[in-house]
Amino acid sequence: EHPRLQKIYQWLLKYSNLGTIIRQETVSMLPVAFLQVEPHHKVLDLCAAPGSKTTQVMDAIFANGEENVSGFVIANDADPRR
């Protein structure tokens, strides 16, 4: 209800909907950080919905700006509702 927080909320909502930023809980960031994914890694993500960790893995694969990376991600989720 605070006006300043409302502005921040609207900004987050706008850029999340545009796909410019992705919000993610800290606990969801840990698996990819611990894996230390590199451009040549092949990653199988079987708990992929809603896709934040998968996006984080792809960011790690392309982090060095290389164009010819050999790594990739296969993403799926066992829960059909997700």
Side-chain angles (χ1 to χ4, degrees):
E1 303 214 6
H2 192 277
R4 182 174 268 168
L5 293 178
Q6 186 62 27
K7 286 177 123 177
I8 292 170
Y9 173 76
Q10 290 301 322
W11 183 88
L12 281 171
L13 191 61
K14 175 183 176 181
Y15 288 100
S16 292
N17 288 338
L18 290 171
T20 305
I21 62 171
I22 297 173
R23 296 179 284 171
Q24 182 179 20
E25 292 185 41
T26 304
V27 70
S28 294
M29 295 179 194
L30 294 176
V32 178
F34 286 129
L35 287 173
Q36 298 179 338
V37 177
E38 296 182 18
H40 62 278
H41 287 168
K42 282 78 172 157
V43 179
L44 177 61
D45 183 357
L46 295 177
C47 298
S52 300
K53 288 184 298 297
T54 305
T55 302
Q56 189 181 356
V57 170
M58 291 301 296
D59 284 344
I61 288 175
F62 289 96
N64 297 332
E66 298 176 30
E67 292 183 21
N68 297 319
V69 298
S70 59
F72 59 84
V73 179
I74 296 174
N76 198 357
D77 199 287
D79 186 345
R81 295 171 290 163
R82 296 189 58 142

